[in-house]
Amino acid sequence: MKLNLYKENDIQNEHVDVYYSNMRPLIRQLVDTVNSDRPSLSGRPADEDLDDGEEILLDPKDIYYLDHIDRKLFAYTKNGVYRLMNTLSACEEMLWNYGFVRVSKSNLINIYRIKQLKPDLNMKVFASFDNGERICINRSYKKSFNEYLLKMRGIN
Amino acid sequence: MREKIGSFLIELCCVYTIISVAGAIVNIICKTETNNLNVIVMFITCLAATFVLFLHKLFDNVSPLVMIIAQFLIACAVVGLILLIISVTISPISPKGWFEFYRSFVIPYIVFAAFYYYRIFSETKKQDELIRQIQEKAGEKAE
C-alpha cells in the first residue's frame, strides 16, 4: 500500500484521507486507529503459517500482555500471538496510561485484562488471564505495581 | 553503594532495637538477667541475620518460599560459625547453650516468615480488589 505523508506547519485541520477498493481488516484498523484516541501497535502473527507478510494493527485493549523472549517482543491476545518490532521499554512508555504495567524484566501486563491475581503456595504472585496464561509478578516490581494500581484507580 | 550501606545500617539499627527491647521485656517478665557477652552475641547475630536477609535481591528469580528457606539455612550456618568462633576463642558454649541459642533464633524467624506469608496473601487480595475496581470503573466509562 502506498503511503503519502504531507507536512504543513500552518495547517488548521489535520486530516487523513484513505482511498480503498474494499474494506480489508487493515483498512478497518486504520480507520479505528484514526477514530480512537489510543495508540496502536503493529505486529505480525508469531506463527509463520499465519503470517502473510501483512502487518496487523493491534489495539492495546485487546492485548493481555507483552512478553520479551530471546530479544523478540510478543503480544498475546485472544486471537493469537503477534510479534512486535518495538522494544519493551518503548511499549512501556507508550502504554503506561492505557493499563500496561511492568511486572518483570520481560513482561508488561494489561491490568484491564487480568482475570485474577493470586499467590501460589510458594508465595509467587501470578496474574491470570482469560486465555488461561499466568504471568508472575516479580518481587522487585511489587511496589511499583501497587503504586501503579493506586494511580490508575485515581485516574479512573 | 553508599545508599545500600546506609539502608543496611538503618535496618540493622531497627532489628537490634526491636530484639534488645523484646529481650529486656522477656528478662523483666521472667526475672532473668543478661551479661555483656550476651549483648555482644545478640548484636553479632543481628548483624549476620540482617546481612543475610539483606541479600534478598540475589533470590529474585526463585519463589519467596525457597528464598525464606535458603536465607534461613545461610543465616543458621553463619550464626553457627560465629558461635563456634566464640566457643573456641572467648568462652565455651555448652550443648544446652547451642540449643537455647538456636531456639531463640528459629522461633522469631518462623514468626516473621509466617507474617510475611500472611502479608503476601492479604496484599494480593487488596491488589485484586483494586484491579476489580479499576476494571469496573473503566467498564462504566465505556458504557
Side-chain angles (χ1 to χ4, degrees):
Chain A
M1 191 194 302
K2 192 180 172 190
L3 177 68
N4 295 318
L5 294 170
Y6 304 101
K7 188 185 175 191
E8 287 181 35
N9 291 332
D10 53 350
I11 195 165
Q12 294 295 319
N13 293 318
E14 288 179 325
H15 64 275
V16 177
D17 298 322
V18 180
Y19 299 86
Y20 66 97
S21 55
N22 57 22
M23 187 55 84
R24 288 184 293 142
L26 180 65
I27 308 292
R28 180 78 259 164
Q29 284 165 344
L30 260 174
V31 173
D32 288 344
T33 304
V34 174
N35 286 333
S36 123
D37 58 351
R38 67 177 83 233
S40 59
L41 297 165
S42 60
R44 286 165 65 166
D47 187 346
E48 284 177 5
D49 295 339
L50 302 172
D51 188 6
D52 56 5
E54 194 168 312
E55 289 215 332
I56 293 169
L57 288 175
L58 300 169
D59 189 332
K61 73 173 166 45
D62 295 330
I63 298 172
Y64 292 135
Y65 61 91
L66 300 178
D67 196 6
H68 189 251
I69 313 166
D70 297 334
R71 296 183 181 177
K72 291 173 191 164
L73 184 63
F74 297 97
Y76 288 73
T77 71
K78 192 179 178 182
N79 300 324
V81 183
Y82 298 90
R83 185 174 170 197
L84 308 179
M85 290 306 158
N86 304 48
T87 62
L88 191 64
S89 52
C91 289
E92 185 182 11
E93 203 175 312
M94 191 199 303
L95 301 171
W96 73 271
N97 213 13
Y98 300 93
F100 283 78
V101 58
R102 188 81 163 251
V103 291
S104 69
K105 271 184 187 170
S106 53
N107 290 117
L108 203 61
I109 63 170
N110 183 355
I111 59 163
Y112 295 110
R113 286 291 183 169
I114 293 175
K115 192 179 166 191
Q116 196 183 25
L117 204 65
K118 207 177 167 187
D120 263 4
L121 279 176
N122 63 8
M123 299 187 192
K124 272 189 173 180
V125 178
F126 286 92
S128 323
F129 298 89
D130 292 331
N131 61 352
E133 298 265 1
R134 297 194 318 158
I135 293 290
C136 179
I137 295 168
N138 196 293
R139 277 194 304 283
S140 312
Y141 292 85
K142 199 176 82 176
K143 195 181 166 195
S144 59
F145 178 66
N146 202 42
E147 284 170 357
Y148 183 80
L149 292 181
L150 291 170
K151 193 190 76 190
M152 288 305 281
R153 188 180 62 173
I155 289 173
N156 279 321
Chain B
M1 190 65 185
R2 270 183 74 179
E3 231 175 70
K4 277 189 178 175
I5 292 171
S7 162
F8 170 72
L9 290 175
I10 290 169
E11 278 189 32
L12 176 63
C13 291
C14 292
V15 169
Y16 181 70
T17 307
I18 292 167
I19 299 287
S20 62
V21 169
I25 292 168
V26 169
N27 279 338
I28 291 167
I29 293 168
C30 301
K31 290 177 183 167
T32 52
E33 279 183 9
T34 187
N35 59 38
N36 292 338
L37 185 63
N38 278 351
V39 172
I40 290 168
V41 168
M42 196 164 73
F43 178 74
I44 293 170
T45 309
C46 286
L47 182 72
T50 310
F51 180 72
V52 172
L53 292 174
F54 203 73
L55 300 176
H56 67 92
K57 283 268 177 196
L58 297 178
F59 299 92
D60 255 4
N61 293 327
V62 298
S63 75
L65 189 62
V66 173
M67 177 192 76
I68 287 172
I69 293 169
Q71 286 188 321
F72 175 68
L73 294 176
I74 295 169
C76 279
V78 171
V79 167
L81 188 69
I82 291 165
L83 284 187
L84 193 66
I85 293 166
I86 290 170
S87 181
V88 170
T89 56
I90 303 171
S91 162
I93 299 169
S94 66
K96 200 186 171 210
W98 280 86
F99 172 74
E100 289 290 330
F101 185 85
Y102 268 102
R103 192 176 64 174
S104 57
F105 177 74
V106 168
I107 291 171
Y109 198 94
I110 289 173
V111 169
F112 281 112
F115 178 68
Y116 181 73
Y117 201 79
Y118 165 76
R119 279 256 329 254
I120 283 184
F121 277 79
S122 67
E123 273 180 13
T124 308
K125 204 178 164 190
K126 276 182 196 165
Q127 287 178 338
D128 195 49
E129 278 168 19
L130 263 177
I131 290 169
R132 294 283 88 77
Q133 285 175 18
I134 294 166
Q135 288 176 343
E136 276 168 23
K137 280 187 181 179
E140 282 166 18
K141 261 189 176 180
E143 283 165 16

mmCIF file of all heavy atoms in Angstrom, chain A residues 46-75:
data_model
loop_
_atom_site.group_PDB
_atom_site.id
_atom_site.type_symbol
_atom_site.label_atom_id
_atom_site.label_comp_id
_atom_site.label_asym_id
_atom_site.label_seq_id
_atom_site.Cartn_x
_atom_site.Cartn_y
_atom_site.Cartn_z
ATOM 1 N N ALA A 46 2.926 -14.447 15.123
ATOM 2 C CA ALA A 46 4.157 -15.145 15.524
ATOM 3 C C ALA A 46 4.243 -16.501 14.826
ATOM 4 O O ALA A 46 5.329 -16.995 14.538
ATOM 5 C CB ALA A 46 4.171 -15.321 17.036
ATOM 6 N N ASP A 47 3.061 -17.076 14.536
ATOM 7 C CA ASP A 47 3.016 -18.357 13.835
ATOM 8 C C ASP A 47 3.292 -18.091 12.351
ATOM 9 O O ASP A 47 2.506 -17.409 11.687
ATOM 10 C CB ASP A 47 1.628 -18.984 14.035
ATOM 11 C CG ASP A 47 1.555 -20.395 13.474
ATOM 12 O OD1 ASP A 47 2.470 -20.769 12.713
ATOM 13 O OD2 ASP A 47 0.590 -21.105 13.811
ATOM 14 N N GLU A 48 4.392 -18.652 11.842
ATOM 15 C CA GLU A 48 4.787 -18.349 10.456
ATOM 16 C C GLU A 48 3.741 -18.810 9.427
ATOM 17 O O GLU A 48 3.630 -18.240 8.350
ATOM 18 C CB GLU A 48 6.143 -18.974 10.158
ATOM 19 C CG GLU A 48 7.276 -18.191 10.799
ATOM 20 C CD GLU A 48 8.637 -18.816 10.577
ATOM 21 O OE1 GLU A 48 8.723 -19.814 9.843
ATOM 22 O OE2 GLU A 48 9.601 -18.304 11.173
ATOM 23 N N ASP A 49 2.971 -19.851 9.773
ATOM 24 C CA ASP A 49 1.946 -20.343 8.843
ATOM 25 C C ASP A 49 0.846 -19.300 8.637
ATOM 26 O O ASP A 49 0.194 -19.274 7.605
ATOM 27 C CB ASP A 49 1.313 -21.638 9.393
ATOM 28 C CG ASP A 49 2.332 -22.766 9.454
ATOM 29 O OD1 ASP A 49 3.343 -22.667 8.728
ATOM 30 O OD2 ASP A 49 2.130 -23.716 10.237
ATOM 31 N N LEU A 50 0.619 -18.482 9.661
ATOM 32 C CA LEU A 50 -0.444 -17.478 9.575
ATOM 33 C C LEU A 50 0.068 -16.134 9.062
ATOM 34 O O LEU A 50 -0.708 -15.227 8.781
ATOM 35 C CB LEU A 50 -1.083 -17.269 10.958
ATOM 36 C CG LEU A 50 -1.689 -18.503 11.631
ATOM 37 C CD1 LEU A 50 -2.091 -18.179 13.053
ATOM 38 C CD2 LEU A 50 -2.899 -18.983 10.842
ATOM 39 N N ASP A 51 1.390 -16.016 8.944
ATOM 40 C CA ASP A 51 1.992 -14.744 8.539
ATOM 41 C C ASP A 51 1.959 -14.604 7.021
ATOM 42 O O ASP A 51 2.669 -15.321 6.308
ATOM 43 C CB ASP A 51 3.438 -14.693 9.063
ATOM 44 C CG ASP A 51 4.063 -13.325 8.839
ATOM 45 O OD1 ASP A 51 3.349 -12.407 8.387
ATOM 46 O OD2 ASP A 51 5.266 -13.181 9.124
ATOM 47 N N ASP A 52 1.108 -13.690 6.538
ATOM 48 C CA ASP A 52 1.045 -13.468 5.088
ATOM 49 C C ASP A 52 1.859 -12.240 4.680
ATOM 50 O O ASP A 52 1.715 -11.726 3.571
ATOM 51 C CB ASP A 52 -0.423 -13.329 4.640
ATOM 52 C CG ASP A 52 -1.150 -12.220 5.394
ATOM 53 O OD1 ASP A 52 -0.481 -11.518 6.183
ATOM 54 O OD2 ASP A 52 -2.363 -12.053 5.196
ATOM 55 N N GLY A 53 2.695 -11.770 5.573
ATOM 56 C CA GLY A 53 3.571 -10.638 5.270
ATOM 57 C C GLY A 53 2.961 -9.290 5.562
ATOM 58 O O GLY A 53 3.644 -8.269 5.504
ATOM 59 N N GLU A 54 1.663 -9.292 5.847
ATOM 60 C CA GLU A 54 0.989 -8.021 6.101
ATOM 61 C C GLU A 54 0.965 -7.723 7.596
ATOM 62 O O GLU A 54 0.657 -8.605 8.409
ATOM 63 C CB GLU A 54 -0.453 -8.077 5.577
ATOM 64 C CG GLU A 54 -1.088 -6.716 5.490
ATOM 65 C CD GLU A 54 -2.390 -6.746 4.692
ATOM 66 O OE1 GLU A 54 -2.386 -7.323 3.588
ATOM 67 O OE2 GLU A 54 -3.377 -6.200 5.174
ATOM 68 N N GLU A 55 1.307 -6.492 7.939
ATOM 69 C CA GLU A 55 1.310 -6.110 9.354
ATOM 70 C C GLU A 55 -0.109 -5.874 9.837
ATOM 71 O O GLU A 55 -0.953 -5.360 9.103
ATOM 72 C CB GLU A 55 2.141 -4.849 9.565
ATOM 73 C CG GLU A 55 3.625 -5.106 9.392
ATOM 74 C CD GLU A 55 4.477 -4.278 10.321
ATOM 75 O OE1 GLU A 55 4.035 -3.193 10.702
ATOM 76 O OE2 GLU A 55 5.585 -4.732 10.656
ATOM 77 N N ILE A 56 -0.367 -6.238 11.060
ATOM 78 C CA ILE A 56 -1.699 -6.074 11.643
ATOM 79 C C ILE A 56 -1.609 -5.056 12.759
ATOM 80 O O ILE A 56 -0.670 -5.088 13.562
ATOM 81 C CB ILE A 56 -2.213 -7.427 12.177
ATOM 82 C CG1 ILE A 56 -2.442 -8.378 11.016
ATOM 83 C CG2 ILE A 56 -3.478 -7.270 13.012
ATOM 84 C CD1 ILE A 56 -2.688 -9.801 11.412
ATOM 85 N N LEU A 57 -2.570 -4.144 12.788
ATOM 86 C CA LEU A 57 -2.565 -3.154 13.869
ATOM 87 C C LEU A 57 -3.297 -3.720 15.074
ATOM 88 O O LEU A 57 -4.407 -4.236 14.957
ATOM 89 C CB LEU A 57 -3.237 -1.858 13.397
ATOM 90 C CG LEU A 57 -2.439 -1.036 12.390
ATOM 91 C CD1 LEU A 57 -3.257 0.143 11.908
ATOM 92 C CD2 LEU A 57 -1.140 -0.545 12.995
ATOM 93 N N LEU A 58 -2.664 -3.644 16.207
ATOM 94 C CA LEU A 58 -3.260 -4.196 17.429
ATOM 95 C C LEU A 58 -3.719 -3.068 18.337
ATOM 96 O O LEU A 58 -2.974 -2.121 18.590
ATOM 97 C CB LEU A 58 -2.228 -5.046 18.180
ATOM 98 C CG LEU A 58 -1.650 -6.252 17.444
ATOM 99 C CD1 LEU A 58 -0.476 -6.802 18.221
ATOM 100 C CD2 LEU A 58 -2.711 -7.313 17.265
ATOM 101 N N ASP A 59 -4.949 -3.212 18.793
ATOM 102 C CA ASP A 59 -5.462 -2.241 19.763
ATOM 103 C C ASP A 59 -4.964 -2.680 21.140
ATOM 104 O O ASP A 59 -5.152 -3.843 21.521
ATOM 105 C CB ASP A 59 -6.998 -2.261 19.715
ATOM 106 C CG ASP A 59 -7.606 -1.131 20.527
ATOM 107 O OD1 ASP A 59 -6.952 -0.692 21.496
ATOM 108 O OD2 ASP A 59 -8.716 -0.693 20.205
ATOM 109 N N PRO A 60 -4.342 -1.779 21.907
ATOM 110 C CA PRO A 60 -3.808 -2.184 23.218
ATOM 111 C C PRO A 60 -4.844 -2.857 24.114
ATOM 112 O O PRO A 60 -4.506 -3.722 24.905
ATOM 113 C CB PRO A 60 -3.329 -0.871 23.834
ATOM 114 C CG PRO A 60 -3.039 -0.002 22.676
ATOM 115 C CD PRO A 60 -4.023 -0.377 21.615
ATOM 116 N N LYS A 61 -6.121 -2.479 23.965
ATOM 117 C CA LYS A 61 -7.122 -3.067 24.868
ATOM 118 C C LYS A 61 -7.343 -4.564 24.585
ATOM 119 O O LYS A 61 -7.879 -5.265 25.421
ATOM 120 C CB LYS A 61 -8.433 -2.274 24.831
ATOM 121 C CG LYS A 61 -9.279 -2.418 23.616
ATOM 122 C CD LYS A 61 -10.588 -1.688 23.852
ATOM 123 C CE LYS A 61 -11.428 -1.450 22.636
ATOM 124 N NZ LYS A 61 -11.624 -2.505 21.686
ATOM 125 N N ASP A 62 -6.911 -5.012 23.390
ATOM 126 C CA ASP A 62 -7.053 -6.439 23.062
ATOM 127 C C ASP A 62 -5.863 -7.270 23.535
ATOM 128 O O ASP A 62 -5.878 -8.498 23.453
ATOM 129 C CB ASP A 62 -7.198 -6.621 21.543
ATOM 130 C CG ASP A 62 -8.480 -5.982 21.028
ATOM 131 O OD1 ASP A 62 -9.454 -5.943 21.804
ATOM 132 O OD2 ASP A 62 -8.487 -5.518 19.872
ATOM 133 N N ILE A 63 -4.819 -6.586 23.986
ATOM 134 C CA ILE A 63 -3.592 -7.310 24.364
ATOM 135 C C ILE A 63 -3.654 -7.688 25.842
ATOM 136 O O ILE A 63 -3.945 -6.855 26.690
ATOM 137 C CB ILE A 63 -2.345 -6.437 24.088
ATOM 138 C CG1 ILE A 63 -2.244 -6.116 22.595
ATOM 139 C CG2 ILE A 63 -1.072 -7.136 24.563
ATOM 140 C CD1 ILE A 63 -1.167 -5.099 22.252
ATOM 141 N N TYR A 64 -3.383 -8.969 26.126
ATOM 142 C CA TYR A 64 -3.331 -9.422 27.524
ATOM 143 C C TYR A 64 -2.009 -8.985 28.162
ATOM 144 O O TYR A 64 -1.980 -8.389 29.200
ATOM 145 C CB TYR A 64 -3.424 -10.941 27.608
ATOM 146 C CG TYR A 64 -4.750 -11.518 27.197
ATOM 147 C CD1 TYR A 64 -4.817 -12.627 26.359
ATOM 148 C CD2 TYR A 64 -5.940 -10.979 27.662
ATOM 149 C CE1 TYR A 64 -6.034 -13.177 25.978
ATOM 150 C CE2 TYR A 64 -7.160 -11.527 27.295
ATOM 151 C CZ TYR A 64 -7.201 -12.623 26.452
ATOM 152 O OH TYR A 64 -8.399 -13.155 26.084
ATOM 153 N N TYR A 65 -0.930 -9.336 27.472
ATOM 154 C CA TYR A 65 0.387 -8.971 27.986
ATOM 155 C C TYR A 65 1.441 -9.008 26.885
ATOM 156 O O TYR A 65 1.196 -9.577 25.813
ATOM 157 C CB TYR A 65 0.809 -9.877 29.153
ATOM 158 C CG TYR A 65 0.921 -11.340 28.817
ATOM 159 C CD1 TYR A 65 2.118 -11.889 28.378
ATOM 160 C CD2 TYR A 65 -0.175 -12.182 28.943
ATOM 161 C CE1 TYR A 65 2.220 -13.227 28.084
ATOM 162 C CE2 TYR A 65 -0.091 -13.521 28.649
ATOM 163 C CZ TYR A 65 1.110 -14.050 28.216
ATOM 164 O OH TYR A 65 1.202 -15.375 27.901
ATOM 165 N N LEU A 66 2.565 -8.380 27.147
ATOM 166 C CA LEU A 66 3.698 -8.400 26.217
ATOM 167 C C LEU A 66 4.815 -9.215 26.861
ATOM 168 O O LEU A 66 5.058 -9.092 28.067
ATOM 169 C CB LEU A 66 4.199 -6.981 25.946
ATOM 170 C CG LEU A 66 3.201 -5.999 25.328
ATOM 171 C CD1 LEU A 66 3.843 -4.627 25.178
ATOM 172 C CD2 LEU A 66 2.709 -6.482 23.978
ATOM 173 N N ASP A 67 5.445 -10.036 26.051
ATOM 174 C CA ASP A 67 6.497 -10.908 26.576
ATOM 175 C C ASP A 67 7.759 -10.741 25.732
ATOM 176 O O ASP A 67 7.692 -10.831 24.500
ATOM 177 C CB ASP A 67 5.994 -12.356 26.525
ATOM 178 C CG ASP A 67 6.821 -13.279 27.382
ATOM 179 O OD1 ASP A 67 7.713 -12.793 28.110
ATOM 180 O OD2 ASP A 67 6.575 -14.502 27.340
ATOM 181 N N HIS A 68 8.862 -10.504 26.384
ATOM 182 C CA HIS A 68 10.133 -10.334 25.677
ATOM 183 C C HIS A 68 10.947 -11.620 25.832
ATOM 184 O O HIS A 68 11.385 -11.952 26.931
ATOM 185 C CB HIS A 68 10.872 -9.138 26.285
ATOM 186 C CG HIS A 68 12.073 -8.735 25.517
ATOM 187 N ND1 HIS A 68 13.345 -8.936 25.971
ATOM 188 C CD2 HIS A 68 12.195 -8.140 24.300
ATOM 189 C CE1 HIS A 68 14.195 -8.481 25.073
ATOM 190 N NE2 HIS A 68 13.531 -7.989 24.066
ATOM 191 N N ILE A 69 11.066 -12.353 24.718
ATOM 192 C CA ILE A 69 11.806 -13.624 24.757
ATOM 193 C C ILE A 69 12.864 -13.610 23.665
ATOM 194 O O ILE A 69 12.547 -13.297 22.509
ATOM 195 C CB ILE A 69 10.878 -14.844 24.511
ATOM 196 C CG1 ILE A 69 9.611 -14.759 25.365
ATOM 197 C CG2 ILE A 69 11.602 -16.151 24.770
ATOM 198 C CD1 ILE A 69 8.525 -15.736 24.917
ATOM 199 N N ASP A 70 14.075 -13.967 24.023
ATOM 200 C CA ASP A 70 15.184 -14.046 23.043
ATOM 201 C C ASP A 70 15.269 -12.806 22.161
ATOM 202 O O ASP A 70 15.335 -12.904 20.926
ATOM 203 C CB ASP A 70 15.021 -15.295 22.148
ATOM 204 C CG ASP A 70 15.111 -16.572 22.942
ATOM 205 O OD1 ASP A 70 15.767 -16.549 24.000
ATOM 206 O OD2 ASP A 70 14.525 -17.581 22.515
ATOM 207 N N ARG A 71 15.239 -11.668 22.771
ATOM 208 C CA ARG A 71 15.338 -10.368 22.082
ATOM 209 C C ARG A 71 14.188 -10.105 21.109
ATOM 210 O O ARG A 71 14.319 -9.331 20.166
ATOM 211 C CB ARG A 71 16.681 -10.236 21.360
ATOM 212 C CG ARG A 71 17.851 -10.232 22.307
ATOM 213 C CD ARG A 71 19.123 -10.040 21.554
ATOM 214 N NE ARG A 71 20.258 -10.064 22.462
ATOM 215 C CZ ARG A 71 21.504 -9.983 22.071
ATOM 216 N NH1 ARG A 71 21.780 -9.854 20.800
ATOM 217 N NH2 ARG A 71 22.490 -10.005 22.933
ATOM 218 N N LYS A 72 13.103 -10.856 21.273
ATOM 219 C CA LYS A 72 11.924 -10.630 20.429
ATOM 220 C C LYS A 72 10.761 -10.284 21.342
ATOM 221 O O LYS A 72 10.654 -10.829 22.448
ATOM 222 C CB LYS A 72 11.576 -11.889 19.629
ATOM 223 C CG LYS A 72 12.592 -12.227 18.554
ATOM 224 C CD LYS A 72 12.267 -13.567 17.947
ATOM 225 C CE LYS A 72 13.409 -14.043 17.058
ATOM 226 N NZ LYS A 72 13.312 -15.474 16.761
ATOM 227 N N LEU A 73 9.891 -9.398 20.851
ATOM 228 C CA LEU A 73 8.752 -8.974 21.665
ATOM 229 C C LEU A 73 7.461 -9.543 21.086
ATOM 230 O O LEU A 73 7.196 -9.402 19.894
ATOM 231 C CB LEU A 73 8.695 -7.443 21.704
ATOM 232 C CG LEU A 73 7.622 -6.832 22.598
ATOM 233 C CD1 LEU A 73 7.854 -7.200 24.066
ATOM 234 C CD2 LEU A 73 7.612 -5.317 22.460
ATOM 235 N N PHE A 74 6.688 -10.195 21.955
ATOM 236 C CA PHE A 74 5.437 -10.812 21.520
ATOM 237 C C PHE A 74 4.258 -10.223 22.286
ATOM 238 O O PHE A 74 4.367 -9.962 23.485
ATOM 239 C CB PHE A 74 5.477 -12.330 21.737
ATOM 240 C CG PHE A 74 6.525 -13.019 20.926
ATOM 241 C CD1 PHE A 74 7.761 -13.323 21.486
ATOM 242 C CD2 PHE A 74 6.304 -13.345 19.601
ATOM 243 C CE1 PHE A 74 8.753 -13.942 20.745
ATOM 244 C CE2 PHE A 74 7.290 -13.971 18.848
ATOM 245 C CZ PHE A 74 8.519 -14.266 19.419
ATOM 246 N N ALA A 75 3.161 -10.041 21.565
ATOM 247 C CA ALA A 75 1.925 -9.572 22.196
ATOM 248 C C ALA A 75 0.935 -10.723 22.190
ATOM 249 O O ALA A 75 0.706 -11.355 21.150
ATOM 250 C CB ALA A 75 1.366 -8.387 21.415
#
